[in-house]
Amino acid sequence: MKNTFGNSISVTVFGESHGAAIGAVIDGLAAGIPVSDDRIKSELLRRRPSSAIDTPRREADNFQIISGVFNGKTTGTPITIIIPNENTKSGDYTYGIARPSHADYAGFCKYHGFEDYRGGGHFSGRITAAIVAAGGILLPALENLGIKIGTHILKCADLADDGFDNYEKDIDALRSAEFPTISKICGEKIIEKISETAKEGDSIGGITQTAIFGIPKGVGEPFFDSVEGMLSHALFAIGGIKGVEFGKGFGFADCVGSECNDAFRIKDGNIVTATNNNGGINGGITNGMPILLNCAVKPTPSISKAQKTVDFIKSENTEISVKGRHDPAIIRRICPVIDSICAIVTADLLAGRFGTDIFLKGEK
Amino acid sequence: MKNTFGNSISVTVFGESHGAAIGAVIDGLAAGIPVSDDRIKSELLRRRPSSAIDTPRREADNFQIISGVFNGKTTGTPITIIIPNENTKSGDYTYGIARPSHADYAGFCKYHGFEDYRGGGHFSGRITAAIVAAGGILLPALENLGIKIGTHILKCADLADDGFDNYEKDIDALRSAEFPTISKICGEKIIEKISETAKEGDSIGGITQTAIFGIPKGVGEPFFDSVEGMLSHALFAIGGIKGVEFGKGFGFADCVGSECNDAFRIKDGNIVTATNNNGGINGGITNGMPILLNCAVKPTPSISKAQKTVDFIKSENTEISVKGRHDPAIIRRICPVIDSICAIVTADLLAGRFGTDIFLKGEK
Amino acid sequence: MKNTFGNSISVTVFGESHGAAIGAVIDGLAAGIPVSDDRIKSELLRRRPSSAIDTPRREADNFQIISGVFNGKTTGTPITIIIPNENTKSGDYTYGIARPSHADYAGFCKYHGFEDYRGGGHFSGRITAAIVAAGGILLPALENLGIKIGTHILKCADLADDGFDNYEKDIDALRSAEFPTISKICGEKIIEKISETAKEGDSIGGITQTAIFGIPKGVGEPFFDSVEGMLSHALFAIGGIKGVEFGKGFGFADCVGSECNDAFRIKDGNIVTATNNNGGINGGITNGMPILLNCAVKPTPSISKAQKTVDFIKSENTEISVKGRHDPAIIRRICPVIDSICAIVTADLLAGRFGTDIFLKGEK
Amino acid sequence: MKNTFGNSISVTVFGESHGAAIGAVIDGLAAGIPVSDDRIKSELLRRRPSSAIDTPRREADNFQIISGVFNGKTTGTPITIIIPNENTKSGDYTYGIARPSHADYAGFCKYHGFEDYRGGGHFSGRITAAIVAAGGILLPALENLGIKIGTHILKCADLADDGFDNYEKDIDALRSAEFPTISKICGEKIIEKISETAKEGDSIGGITQTAIFGIPKGVGEPFFDSVEGMLSHALFAIGGIKGVEFGKGFGFADCVGSECNDAFRIKDGNIVTATNNNGGINGGITNGMPILLNCAVKPTPSISKAQKTVDFIKSENTEISVKGRHDPAIIRRICPVIDSICAIVTADLLAGRFGTDIFLKGEK
């Protein structure tokens, strides 16, 4: 469905970086779920560029909900959120010179030159604000069911953050943290690293780690709609993500089964696993442990350093030194986007399994 | 859609390991595409256990096409392939003792004890034979358009294979290779490593690398139906895959943009990239370079070494030493399955973009 | 999805009239639902040609469930039913001379001559046996929830059956009736009418009426997935159906609102409507009254009377007098097919709204 | 997908009658298709209430395209059209008293009282303005390929319009007609009839007839996604439509095959049918003749005459005399909505079959 994702609960995104607005339609949510403007604002705030290491483009993200919410609650019909683009500087972009590793040229191949190229158009990270706004509705609906989702920077260059220790506490802390690491010290080092990279006119990548805590056992629709399949499908929509792994992921390559199989154990009357190398998913279905997933994030393609490239209109080699306003690293701002994508997929899987009214069960 | 994947061309899989049969329905293929029983057989042969390092369960894989093919060509209506299960030993399985890292317990949580647990049921690797049979139809249809797909073992334990050098030659060689590595010497070492692991009653993981060569530029349907999203969604259906990365993938974490951005260059009048760190995909759309993706494959969960686990029926701790017939490593047999999954997704993306008759264009 | 229908519960059909087999895959049903071979048989029996007014082709309909059922209950994974074609006489068909009002020519336009034309191929009414087999699983699952579905011939030529009087009683009677009318006398007249028509080498159409009794209030997913939209979409898959109306349907054209609006009334503490001109659906959502729908069924296109037509291979005018084995009227045999289609859509709507485990609620 | 329809080209609708805005997202259209604000305006104008026989609510329908169009052409990414609700009088509505035959009570059953009931909320005919705006983009795209779509009032009470005589001419005339009948005299009589009915505080129904002229042969995706199935699914989304028939439709009930089968003939070197009782569709696939379909439209439920009903909040019998601003007949205003729905489905079927770039083929 191209710009729509989800079976029971679906999200449709639209908009271009320098068009009138971006936005999202959330369909399939039951009626009666509280919608808090403050929560949407606070999610958008987590994604907004705000510091020296972010793009200087500062959008107010003044969203408007134009359908599907009445008297502060969902009506059960499609919820549409619009976020106007207010701070656009289209003069910064010229057409034809492909930014290396960006969508310019591939977009041209698909859209034949009719694409709205300004600011990256539909490929801009700007679109993810709509995802985050949707997350601002779905994340609290999940929390009401005891499901918490949080993402931190696991690695940037050679700097490695701590892993999750206490899921609930860590996730709560990440929600209000200025910089999304579990170790404050590591966070400061990463900020410094990004600042240095920015000064050199360069950009840097990283790895994020996400926990979905409290998701019930027995959720997921294999063969194809495994939890991993649904999550990865939606996560790869985020520009810059080039890898998704669950639990130990690529680390499994070096392991023998006896080392990395997760032993089941009875604990306080419940069945748990002693380790969680499978990231809470067996056979595509949740086993009751937290879902753990990592995303590989590539360095922002737009850098001011000179790069070799082509002018695809003139069909000739050239150089580019990307102007405009860009992030030297999206690793910080991508965290709330990942949270929101995970909320969309989790909500969809739950509604598909337990019915659309599941979200009313936690309502008092 | 749970057991159905694809928009324009879809594949539905069904079956359990020890049921009457497994199979697949392929829908949406244009009429008039040649279907070769020999090719389907040869693909199934690549997946079949055949050597000392594979499961001793040897299925003949005597498939039957019961619809959708007439006079050796597709009719344009659903193609159904049935593969009977002939060599089943259900006595090997008892219910209630969860194999660590296997779907037994998660399956119980979802299916409440009604699942066909024999041989892993619907979670068995056996189901992938249906995928490979589908690949036996789609792979040659893609080759007719100049698109070749091949997968090799990139890494197993500390043994690393060479990368692709000449895509077409390497892919052709892999198709007929006894063991799917590019370096024959590395392959022998991996076989030895697996044999040793098997002797210890253990299993081992690895990483595969896949190339989709010759795919046209401009294919992919972002925001959500990016090439990465569609491929990863379908790939994670394969039991044992716990990570998918494109191009440099998780390696991007250590990079700065100026190092890993793929410079565009004019070569022989065409626009290409000097490196292919993005694995042929920018912004979710193909850029004309080969698609490169790696899959993390965990060690087969079923090992004969004793492991701690629970009896989820009795709700008590216990031990298990998995009997039955299992592979010490699925890294060899997973390669043709990955090829077939990639063929399904590639065919779907092409048909969605260029229409269902695209596959007739290469017909002579 | 072409040959797959449904969101939460989906059915995929495959097969050609003279191929090896036809069949269906039912996906999304919860684990633990009883499956009765006897019930499937009895549904297939209702559809089978059996009397002087049916086609002389007599298929045993020896179905086999090859996946998804274990120990007499659903496993929660795809259920595949295969029905072999055993009594085929392909010599009866020649290619190129289009039977008027049949799919021969339109099929040629779509499939370019590669279609399996024997016996109408994928367009044959034979395919509906797979639908009825699926109904043999879904109808009792719905009955377990108190939902009954029944169809009778409302009209054939100028002969009009009685309407439903007592839904439950009438539906039960229709299930075991030799001929699906509510008035036995009317049924005999229709049989006579069909026999006469058959003797003249002609065929005849009619109108069916279906009731879905006991469906809960508040089901349906407008805007697009209204109850009417979902039902009509699936019903038009049945060859020969050329119209679908709900409640008063086309009769509304002659009415003023004050005559045909359904007044709401309190009855025994429940809200009901005094009349049911809307067929149990308001705004695309069930209102608690029985769903009432009529289908227009055209005369079977294949008649032995000489008809003007073309040879689309030779591109010339010609005549045809259809040989082969055909029904002079499908109005009798279409009734269980309509029941099954309605069961598929009802099950899907319920599972989408209340979760896939809804069908276990009635289990004792 | 609830509020999203279509496979290759999809439309998502949102909004409530008295909310901030209604709108639609069109996804899957190729880049480079011209979008004319004037054409969208002229389609909206055809739907707008404008005369004595329409609702006194007069919305300016000042639409805004906020994404997917750049320099007057589609960008290939989702097109979002927003139409603000400007003339709302929510005081006219009270909650709890169900308007007979309207969605009030069924909506309450589904949405549990959280629905935005003002002006009918998501069930209001107002939402169809978004459909018509989408049609304002798709209709000219189809015309560019030689496909014309037009709808007239076939019947209202006992007044019957002429049928199509010259499709192209009639469709062109309908597009600019003040009242959508082929016979001007019949139109005047219908207007008079509606006026009289309105004076009595009542409403009236009717039947529309639609032609899709110029659609290529061989389009449609049976078994399930037949042309009839896809069209009816989308058409039943329009509030008030309670029946859809193709060609002779319910008239087939009285026919024998030899009378109503459409004889194929060679005409000017092309294969055509002598009659078009099948409405251009055989076996769910177009046969090259114009698609002909009729829709049954029930009388507007909201009438000022006193009606028996219930207060579903108080659970008691009561009476209602509907105030607010309503149409005594929607039969005029529904015609452009049907045109637009047919354009959406036709565009989707074409893009699915021939690829998304099909719409660029007619571009000069």
mmCIF file with all atom_site columns, all heavy atoms in Angstrom, chain A residues 79-90:
data_model
loop_
_atom_site.group_PDB
_atom_site.id
_atom_site.type_symbol
_atom_site.label_atom_id
_atom_site.label_alt_id
_atom_site.label_comp_id
_atom_site.label_asym_id
_atom_site.label_entity_id
_atom_site.label_seq_id
_atom_site.pdbx_PDB_ins_code
_atom_site.Cartn_x
_atom_site.Cartn_y
_atom_site.Cartn_z
_atom_site.occupancy
_atom_site.B_iso_or_equiv
_atom_site.pdbx_formal_charge
_atom_site.auth_seq_id
_atom_site.auth_comp_id
_atom_site.auth_asym_id
_atom_site.auth_atom_id
_atom_site.pdbx_PDB_model_num
ATOM 1  N N   . ILE A 1 79 ? -8.243 9.450  12.126 1.00 0.00 ? 79 ILE A N   1
ATOM 2  C CA  . ILE A 1 79 ? -7.639 10.612 12.782 1.00 0.00 ? 79 ILE A CA  1
ATOM 3  C C   . ILE A 1 79 ? -6.626 11.214 11.824 1.00 0.00 ? 79 ILE A C   1
ATOM 4  O O   . ILE A 1 79 ? -5.708 10.522 11.386 1.00 0.00 ? 79 ILE A O   1
ATOM 5  C CB  . ILE A 1 79 ? -6.907 10.186 14.070 1.00 0.00 ? 79 ILE A CB  1
ATOM 6  C CG1 . ILE A 1 79 ? -7.869 9.477  15.017 1.00 0.00 ? 79 ILE A CG1 1
ATOM 7  C CG2 . ILE A 1 79 ? -6.237 11.385 14.739 1.00 0.00 ? 79 ILE A CG2 1
ATOM 8  C CD1 . ILE A 1 79 ? -7.167 8.715  16.127 1.00 0.00 ? 79 ILE A CD1 1
ATOM 9  N N   . THR A 1 80 ? -6.809 12.478 11.504 1.00 0.00 ? 80 THR A N   1
ATOM 10 C CA  . THR A 1 80 ? -5.876 13.133 10.590 1.00 0.00 ? 80 THR A CA  1
ATOM 11 C C   . THR A 1 80 ? -5.149 14.245 11.321 1.00 0.00 ? 80 THR A C   1
ATOM 12 O O   . THR A 1 80 ? -5.777 15.120 11.921 1.00 0.00 ? 80 THR A O   1
ATOM 13 C CB  . THR A 1 80 ? -6.627 13.707 9.369  1.00 0.00 ? 80 THR A CB  1
ATOM 14 O OG1 . THR A 1 80 ? -7.393 12.657 8.792  1.00 0.00 ? 80 THR A OG1 1
ATOM 15 C CG2 . THR A 1 80 ? -5.651 14.259 8.334  1.00 0.00 ? 80 THR A CG2 1
ATOM 16 N N   . ILE A 1 81 ? -3.834 14.167 11.265 1.00 0.00 ? 81 ILE A N   1
ATOM 17 C CA  . ILE A 1 81 ? -2.989 15.188 11.881 1.00 0.00 ? 81 ILE A CA  1
ATOM 18 C C   . ILE A 1 81 ? -2.233 15.907 10.774 1.00 0.00 ? 81 ILE A C   1
ATOM 19 O O   . ILE A 1 81 ? -1.609 15.261 9.933  1.00 0.00 ? 81 ILE A O   1
ATOM 20 C CB  . ILE A 1 81 ? -1.969 14.558 12.849 1.00 0.00 ? 81 ILE A CB  1
ATOM 21 C CG1 . ILE A 1 81 ? -2.670 13.624 13.848 1.00 0.00 ? 81 ILE A CG1 1
ATOM 22 C CG2 . ILE A 1 81 ? -1.190 15.638 13.588 1.00 0.00 ? 81 ILE A CG2 1
ATOM 23 C CD1 . ILE A 1 81 ? -1.694 12.851 14.719 1.00 0.00 ? 81 ILE A CD1 1
ATOM 24 N N   . ILE A 1 82 ? -2.302 17.200 10.801 1.00 0.00 ? 82 ILE A N   1
ATOM 25 C CA  . ILE A 1 82 ? -1.616 18.029 9.810  1.00 0.00 ? 82 ILE A CA  1
ATOM 26 C C   . ILE A 1 82 ? -0.545 18.845 10.527 1.00 0.00 ? 82 ILE A C   1
ATOM 27 O O   . ILE A 1 82 ? -0.820 19.431 11.573 1.00 0.00 ? 82 ILE A O   1
ATOM 28 C CB  . ILE A 1 82 ? -2.608 19.011 9.140  1.00 0.00 ? 82 ILE A CB  1
ATOM 29 C CG1 . ILE A 1 82 ? -3.766 18.263 8.492  1.00 0.00 ? 82 ILE A CG1 1
ATOM 30 C CG2 . ILE A 1 82 ? -1.905 19.923 8.151  1.00 0.00 ? 82 ILE A CG2 1
ATOM 31 C CD1 . ILE A 1 82 ? -3.453 17.581 7.215  1.00 0.00 ? 82 ILE A CD1 1
ATOM 32 N N   . ILE A 1 83 ? 0.657  18.866 9.973  1.00 0.00 ? 83 ILE A N   1
ATOM 33 C CA  . ILE A 1 83 ? 1.717  19.718 10.518 1.00 0.00 ? 83 ILE A CA  1
ATOM 34 C C   . ILE A 1 83 ? 2.207  20.623 9.392  1.00 0.00 ? 83 ILE A C   1
ATOM 35 O O   . ILE A 1 83 ? 2.858  20.149 8.460  1.00 0.00 ? 83 ILE A O   1
ATOM 36 C CB  . ILE A 1 83 ? 2.895  18.882 11.074 1.00 0.00 ? 83 ILE A CB  1
ATOM 37 C CG1 . ILE A 1 83 ? 2.377  17.756 11.997 1.00 0.00 ? 83 ILE A CG1 1
ATOM 38 C CG2 . ILE A 1 83 ? 3.895  19.778 11.803 1.00 0.00 ? 83 ILE A CG2 1
ATOM 39 C CD1 . ILE A 1 83 ? 3.495  16.840 12.524 1.00 0.00 ? 83 ILE A CD1 1
ATOM 40 N N   . PRO A 1 84 ? 1.877  21.903 9.463  1.00 0.00 ? 84 PRO A N   1
ATOM 41 C CA  . PRO A 1 84 ? 2.308  22.807 8.385  1.00 0.00 ? 84 PRO A CA  1
ATOM 42 C C   . PRO A 1 84 ? 3.834  22.929 8.325  1.00 0.00 ? 84 PRO A C   1
ATOM 43 O O   . PRO A 1 84 ? 4.513  22.796 9.350  1.00 0.00 ? 84 PRO A O   1
ATOM 44 C CB  . PRO A 1 84 ? 1.687  24.157 8.773  1.00 0.00 ? 84 PRO A CB  1
ATOM 45 C CG  . PRO A 1 84 ? 0.640  23.850 9.800  1.00 0.00 ? 84 PRO A CG  1
ATOM 46 C CD  . PRO A 1 84 ? 1.092  22.604 10.502 1.00 0.00 ? 84 PRO A CD  1
ATOM 47 N N   . ASN A 1 85 ? 4.338  23.118 7.135  1.00 0.00 ? 85 ASN A N   1
ATOM 48 C CA  . ASN A 1 85 ? 5.752  23.473 6.965  1.00 0.00 ? 85 ASN A CA  1
ATOM 49 C C   . ASN A 1 85 ? 5.835  24.979 6.977  1.00 0.00 ? 85 ASN A C   1
ATOM 50 O O   . ASN A 1 85 ? 5.255  25.645 6.111  1.00 0.00 ? 85 ASN A O   1
ATOM 51 C CB  . ASN A 1 85 ? 6.280  22.941 5.626  1.00 0.00 ? 85 ASN A CB  1
ATOM 52 C CG  . ASN A 1 85 ? 6.346  21.444 5.613  1.00 0.00 ? 85 ASN A CG  1
ATOM 53 O OD1 . ASN A 1 85 ? 6.745  20.813 6.584  1.00 0.00 ? 85 ASN A OD1 1
ATOM 54 N ND2 . ASN A 1 85 ? 5.947  20.846 4.490  1.00 0.00 ? 85 ASN A ND2 1
ATOM 55 N N   . GLU A 1 86 ? 6.514  25.521 7.956  1.00 0.00 ? 86 GLU A N   1
ATOM 56 C CA  . GLU A 1 86 ? 6.509  26.973 8.084  1.00 0.00 ? 86 GLU A CA  1
ATOM 57 C C   . GLU A 1 86 ? 7.856  27.607 7.802  1.00 0.00 ? 86 GLU A C   1
ATOM 58 O O   . GLU A 1 86 ? 7.950  28.727 7.334  1.00 0.00 ? 86 GLU A O   1
ATOM 59 C CB  . GLU A 1 86 ? 6.009  27.348 9.489  1.00 0.00 ? 86 GLU A CB  1
ATOM 60 C CG  . GLU A 1 86 ? 4.552  26.888 9.679  1.00 0.00 ? 86 GLU A CG  1
ATOM 61 C CD  . GLU A 1 86 ? 4.037  27.031 11.104 1.00 0.00 ? 86 GLU A CD  1
ATOM 62 O OE1 . GLU A 1 86 ? 4.771  26.684 12.057 1.00 0.00 ? 86 GLU A OE1 1
ATOM 63 O OE2 . GLU A 1 86 ? 2.893  27.471 11.258 1.00 0.00 ? 86 GLU A OE2 1
ATOM 64 N N   . ASN A 1 87 ? 8.913  26.835 8.077  1.00 0.00 ? 87 ASN A N   1
ATOM 65 C CA  . ASN A 1 87 ? 10.245 27.409 7.956  1.00 0.00 ? 87 ASN A CA  1
ATOM 66 C C   . ASN A 1 87 ? 10.989 26.767 6.794  1.00 0.00 ? 87 ASN A C   1
ATOM 67 O O   . ASN A 1 87 ? 11.869 25.938 6.958  1.00 0.00 ? 87 ASN A O   1
ATOM 68 C CB  . ASN A 1 87 ? 10.988 27.185 9.284  1.00 0.00 ? 87 ASN A CB  1
ATOM 69 C CG  . ASN A 1 87 ? 12.343 27.850 9.311  1.00 0.00 ? 87 ASN A CG  1
ATOM 70 O OD1 . ASN A 1 87 ? 12.886 28.203 8.273  1.00 0.00 ? 87 ASN A OD1 1
ATOM 71 N ND2 . ASN A 1 87 ? 12.899 28.019 10.491 1.00 0.00 ? 87 ASN A ND2 1
ATOM 72 N N   . THR A 1 88 ? 10.555 27.108 5.574  1.00 0.00 ? 88 THR A N   1
ATOM 73 C CA  . THR A 1 88 ? 11.179 26.499 4.398  1.00 0.00 ? 88 THR A CA  1
ATOM 74 C C   . THR A 1 88 ? 12.064 27.510 3.682  1.00 0.00 ? 88 THR A C   1
ATOM 75 O O   . THR A 1 88 ? 11.740 28.690 3.595  1.00 0.00 ? 88 THR A O   1
ATOM 76 C CB  . THR A 1 88 ? 10.104 26.000 3.423  1.00 0.00 ? 88 THR A CB  1
ATOM 77 O OG1 . THR A 1 88 ? 9.230  27.080 3.108  1.00 0.00 ? 88 THR A OG1 1
ATOM 78 C CG2 . THR A 1 88 ? 9.271  24.880 4.045  1.00 0.00 ? 88 THR A CG2 1
ATOM 79 N N   . LYS A 1 89 ? 13.170 27.035 3.205  1.00 0.00 ? 89 LYS A N   1
ATOM 80 C CA  . LYS A 1 89 ? 14.084 27.892 2.428  1.00 0.00 ? 89 LYS A CA  1
ATOM 81 C C   . LYS A 1 89 ? 14.417 27.180 1.130  1.00 0.00 ? 89 LYS A C   1
ATOM 82 O O   . LYS A 1 89 ? 15.489 26.601 0.980  1.00 0.00 ? 89 LYS A O   1
ATOM 83 C CB  . LYS A 1 89 ? 15.389 28.107 3.207  1.00 0.00 ? 89 LYS A CB  1
ATOM 84 C CG  . LYS A 1 89 ? 15.302 29.083 4.356  1.00 0.00 ? 89 LYS A CG  1
ATOM 85 C CD  . LYS A 1 89 ? 16.720 29.475 4.737  1.00 0.00 ? 89 LYS A CD  1
ATOM 86 C CE  . LYS A 1 89 ? 16.766 30.443 5.907  1.00 0.00 ? 89 LYS A CE  1
ATOM 87 N NZ  . LYS A 1 89 ? 18.163 30.745 6.272  1.00 0.00 ? 89 LYS A NZ  1
ATOM 88 N N   . SER A 1 90 ? 13.485 27.192 0.204  1.00 0.00 ? 90 SER A N   1
ATOM 89 C CA  . SER A 1 90 ? 13.652 26.372 -0.987 1.00 0.00 ? 90 SER A CA  1
ATOM 90 C C   . SER A 1 90 ? 14.790 26.829 -1.865 1.00 0.00 ? 90 SER A C   1
ATOM 91 O O   . SER A 1 90 ? 15.310 26.080 -2.685 1.00 0.00 ? 90 SER A O   1
ATOM 92 C CB  . SER A 1 90 ? 12.345 26.311 -1.773 1.00 0.00 ? 90 SER A CB  1
ATOM 93 O OG  . SER A 1 90 ? 11.340 25.764 -0.940 1.00 0.00 ? 90 SER A OG  1
#
